[in-house]
């Protein structure tokens, strides 16, 4: 199996980075549907180890929240927010469809709990509340998301909301999601631990996540699942195992179980090919 090495210039902070460029692949191509796409990238070198439909437009669903969290981590590192900052929940945020924590307008949530709620619960109300706190409004935050996407080299992505709820203008590619996943790890090593959380406590109750891959793969440390009817089941998985790093993306799975097995199989197949640090 040929490896396609692509150097991804990911300097820390907000500097512009090079995108993972399209490459020819001799990997066996699975049956492709209008929703499916996948890519496996060496997290250390930027080598694309496998891809299928990686540059075709796909619906991100809650993978969108990876960018919402990227901008939240930036706000933390710049001092605009602290983990104890209280974020108000507006009527607009509270009105979001599930999955959500169920806030009423006028309630608030601290940033640390908000991050956990987005990672573990994929809470749409919390994602919008953070967006409004950082951007002033959800549309203004979406503009910040798109500016950051361009800066990171995500050429096939457009965000129109902070949650990933259905929107005809919300599009991405598997390649862009891999690039975003790598950027989160490289730019925010002090915040990245959130993505490995299985659960958190809110109002005295245990809230459990639904990223089953975290328990199925040695070294899995994130990142995000997503689903809306139009997208199918999506996942971006990061693995750091015995000095080897991978980011694997599967989009358009028929069921969560099928999607999870696809990403587990990809990691098992390509982790031995990743560079050892």
């Amino acid at each position: 199996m040929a490896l396609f090495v692509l150097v991804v210039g990911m300097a820390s902070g907000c500097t512009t980075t090079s995108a993972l460029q399209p490459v020819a692949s001799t990997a066996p191509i699975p049956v492709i549907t209008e929703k499916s796409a996948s890519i496996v990238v060496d997290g250390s070198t930027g080598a694309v180890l496998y891809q299928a439909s990686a540059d075709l437009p796909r619906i991100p669903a809650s993978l969108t929240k990876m960018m919402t969290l990227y901008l939240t981590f930036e706000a933390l590192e710049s001092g605009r927010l602290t983990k104890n900052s209280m974020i108000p929940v507006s009527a607009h945020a509270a009105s979001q469809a599930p999955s959500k924590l169920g806030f009423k307008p006028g309630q608030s949530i601290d940033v640390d709990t908000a991050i956990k709620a987005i990672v573990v619960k994929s809470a749409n109300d919390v994602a919008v509340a953070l967006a409004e706190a950082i951007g002033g409004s959800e549309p203004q935050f979406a503009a910040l998301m798109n500016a950051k996407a361009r800066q990171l080299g995500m050429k096939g992505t457009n965000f129109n909301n902070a949650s990933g709820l259905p929107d005809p203008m919300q599009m991405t590619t598997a390649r862009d999601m891999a690039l975003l996943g790598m950027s989160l790890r490289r730019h925010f090593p002090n915040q990245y631990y959130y993505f490995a959380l299985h659960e958190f406590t809110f109002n005295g109750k245990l809230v459990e996540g639904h990223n089953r891959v975290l328990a199925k793969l040695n070294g899995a440390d994130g990142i995000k699942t997503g689903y809306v009817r139009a997208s199918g089941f999506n996942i971006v998985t990061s693995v750091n195992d015995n000095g080897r790093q991978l980011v694997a993306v599967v989009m358009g799975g028929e069921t969560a179980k099928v999607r999870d097995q696809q990403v587990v199989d990809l990691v098992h197949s390509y982790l031995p090919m990743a560079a050892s640090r």
Side-chain angles (χ1 to χ4, degrees), residues 65 69 72 83 85 87 101 103 108-123 125-127 129-130 194 200 202:
K65 295 184 179 80
L69 290 170
T72 299
K83 292 186 179 181
S85 298
I87 302 299
L101 287 186
F103 284 99
S108 60
I109 182 172
D110 65 273
V111 170
D112 179 63
T113 305
I115 294 170
K116 294 173 182 176
I118 291 175
V119 170
V120 176
K121 179 68 172 175
S122 201
D125 50 356
V126 177
L130 268 176
Y194 280 109
F200 74 105
F202 178 69

Side-chain angles (χ1 to χ4, degrees), residues 44-169:
S44 298
T45 67
V48 176
L49 307 179
Y50 172 84
Q51 63 173 338
S53 301
D55 297 296
L56 295 182
R58 295 292 184 258
I59 297 171
S62 282
L63 301 187
T64 296
K65 295 184 179 80
M66 293 165 60
M67 182 60 84
T68 300
L69 290 170
Y70 190 105
L71 294 178
T72 299
F73 295 157
E74 277 197 338
L76 285 172
E77 297 212 341
S78 71
R80 291 184 58 204
L81 293 176
T82 71
K83 292 186 179 181
N84 294 320
S85 298
M86 298 303 295
I87 302 299
V89 179
S90 69
H92 173 61
S95 71
Q96 301 302 301
S99 179
K100 60 197 292 184
L101 287 186
F103 284 99
K104 295 179 180 179
Q107 292 183 312
S108 60
I109 182 172
D110 65 273
V111 170
D112 179 63
T113 305
I115 294 170
K116 294 173 182 176
I118 291 175
V119 170
V120 176
K121 179 68 172 175
S122 201
N124 295 320
D125 50 356
V126 177
V128 174
L130 268 176
E132 292 174 334
I134 296 170
S137 70
E138 191 174 15
Q140 289 174 315
F141 185 77
L144 296 176
M145 296 170 79
N146 287 323
K148 184 57 62 176
R150 299 293 87 75
Q151 190 178 49
L152 294 175
M154 298 168 63
K155 297 180 179 179
T157 297
N158 184 73
F159 295 113
N160 208 42
N161 65 47
S163 65
L165 284 169
D167 187 308
M169 296 180 65

Side-chain angles (χ1 to χ4, degrees), residues 30-42:
V31 176
I32 303 301
T33 71
E34 62 181 8
K35 297 179 182 179
S36 66
S38 54
I39 191 169
V40 181
V41 180
D42 186 321

